[in-house]
Amino acid sequence: MNVIVSNKYQSLLATLDIDIIKSLNGVFTVDEIVSTFTNFYYNKMILDITAIQDYQNISTIQELSVNMDMNKIIFLLDDSEVVNSPRFLSQLVSMGIYNFTRNIDAVRFLIDNPNIYKDVAQYHQLNDVGVFDPLPVDNTSSTSSSNNSGVAMRVIGIKNITDHAGSTTLTYLMKKQLASKYDVIAVEVDHNDFVYFNDKTLYHTTSTDLPAFIASHANHDVILVDLNDKGPVGSCNEVVYLIEPGLIKLNKLIRKDRKAFEKLKDKKIILNRSVLNDQDVKDFEYESKSKVYFNLPYLDDKLDHHHILDEFLIKLGFVRLENGQEEKGSKLFNIFK
């Protein structure tokens, strides 16, 4: 049996299909959490980091780590720059805290498959070992920076929900557009369709080797992972789910799994290759009982830039992107690179 301590992400954690023996919601001091669970038997504790009072002070997390078994705790991190900074994550690892994520799917995975040191070694900055001081919030702009020195590396999975919903092409276009402002690479899992883009900066790997690939490329700001239809989401700290909203594709999805949209609750649903207008999207949300994160039309993969893709990427948090680039074609379809 498991316990949940939640605050900001209470509704998200409520979607976990696990056995719960105790659940708390609110903001608690470390002493309150320790005293509540010191003599309480449980398998795993899923701990929303925002439920810890003064959680952005690394000394607070250190106090928790010396009073509780960190092997039994899974931290659901928030999206703040402090918590996701390389230094903060490195200090978590230094304290023996290996099970942390921003992804609800990864929480499910970690319950039965806890991390060991090698799974989080890429976050460990050895020059920070033993230094547990509070981290100030940096409110200065870093939009002109070409690296992600203040924010942890983002590993974003792009996964098809309807058959062949366009994850490979969208991953390629996202990578190409982000490259002007971020240090970004893209990798395809269990397939090698990237080869047809004639771009040597695109990689491919297997589901088994994906964690090692991510660990070996941890110096980048962003890793985009083309999960295709069946790739594993556990190695990604964010996932977007693609649905091509054509009648045949949707009917095939529902016949295959009538609970498909229930499973997508609180996830980032992207309508890809969509011809739906705003009213159509509202009708789609009503009928599917879901929420659409973004509605993407067909994108011409021969164009160097798409303003609508900028809007999507900025909504994902890539604020360095700027508007104003012209949409223009590439010479001879880039066939003869």
Side-chain angles (χ1 to χ4, degrees), residues 282-301:
K282 291 179 181 178
D283 292 341
F284 174 90
E285 291 178 325
Y286 177 78
E287 293 186 32
S288 64
K289 295 181 176 62
S290 61
K291 181 67 176 176
V292 172
Y293 185 79
F294 205 88
N295 183 34
L296 271 176
Y298 279 86
L299 300 176
D300 186 346
D301 58 13

Side-chain angles (χ1 to χ4, degrees), residues 131-145:
V131 182
F132 302 121
D133 55 330
L135 296 169
V137 177
D138 183 4
N139 291 319
T140 61
S141 173
S142 61
T143 56
S144 62
S145 175

Side-chain angles (χ1 to χ4, degrees), residues 300-319:
D300 186 346
D301 58 13
K302 299 183 296 299
L303 295 180
D304 291 330
H305 188 264
H306 301 81
H307 293 303
I308 188 68
L309 189 56
D310 264 350
E311 293 179 23
F312 170 56
L313 292 170
I314 290 169
K315 186 171 183 179
L316 282 176
F318 294 104
V319 294

Side-chain angles (χ1 to χ4, degrees), residues 26-235:
V27 177
F28 307 94
T29 66
V30 169
D31 287 343
E32 288 172 330
I33 295 173
V34 171
S35 62
T36 300
F37 293 103
T38 295
N39 297 313
F40 192 91
Y41 176 79
Y42 57 92
N43 177 34
K44 297 290 184 183
M45 174 187 292
I46 296 88
L47 178 55
D48 175 352
I49 197 167
T50 69
I52 305 171
Q53 183 175 304
D54 196 23
Y55 67 93
Q56 291 189 345
N57 184 341
I58 196 65
S59 299
T60 301
I61 308 301
Q62 183 189 22
E63 182 183 353
L64 185 70
S65 73
V66 298
N67 287 285
M68 298 187 71
D69 183 356
M70 291 297 101
N71 292 320
K72 299 176 69 173
I73 298 180
I74 300 169
F75 284 85
L76 181 62
L77 306 183
D78 70 347
D79 56 1
S80 66
E81 285 196 349
V82 171
V83 169
N84 288 275
S85 69
R87 191 178 181 196
F88 193 97
L89 297 178
S90 175
Q91 291 174 335
L92 291 183
V93 176
S94 294
M95 287 183 273
I97 299 173
Y98 301 156
N99 296 300
F100 52 84
T101 181
R102 286 176 53 197
N103 186 291
I104 193 65
D105 292 321
V107 170
R108 296 186 182 97
F109 179 82
L110 289 171
I111 290 172
D112 297 316
N113 304 274
N115 284 334
I116 59 177
Y117 176 75
K118 72 175 184 178
D119 296 315
V120 294
Q122 70 267 27
Y123 300 113
H124 202 190
Q125 300 175 355
L126 295 178
N127 59 327
D128 270 346
V129 173
V131 182
F132 302 121
D133 55 330
L135 296 169
V137 177
D138 183 4
N139 291 319
T140 61
S141 173
S142 61
T143 56
S144 62
S145 175
S146 61
N147 57 48
N148 215 0
S149 58
V151 182
M153 177 184 68
R154 296 177 68 177
V155 182
I156 302 178
I158 298 90
K159 186 177 180 66
N160 294 328
I161 297 300
T162 55
D163 291 340
H164 309 295
S167 65
T168 301
T169 298
L170 182 58
T171 304
Y172 165 70
L173 293 174
M174 290 171 64
K175 184 262 179 188
K176 187 166 67 169
Q177 203 141 316
L178 283 170
S180 65
K181 298 292 182 181
Y182 294 85
D183 182 3
V184 55
I185 61 171
V187 59
E188 186 177 10
V189 178
D190 294 332
H191 295 270
N192 194 17
D193 291 331
F194 273 168
V195 69
Y196 301 114
F197 289 115
N198 295 320
D199 185 338
K200 294 181 180 179
T201 66
L202 302 173
Y203 299 87
H204 69 94
T205 189
T206 65
S207 297
T208 302
D209 293 336
L210 179 59
F213 176 90
I214 292 171
S216 65
H217 292 82
N219 57 316
H220 298 279
D221 293 339
V222 188
I223 298 179
L224 301 175
V225 183
D226 174 17
L227 297 168
N228 285 292
D229 296 354
K230 299 180 180 179
V233 300
S235 295

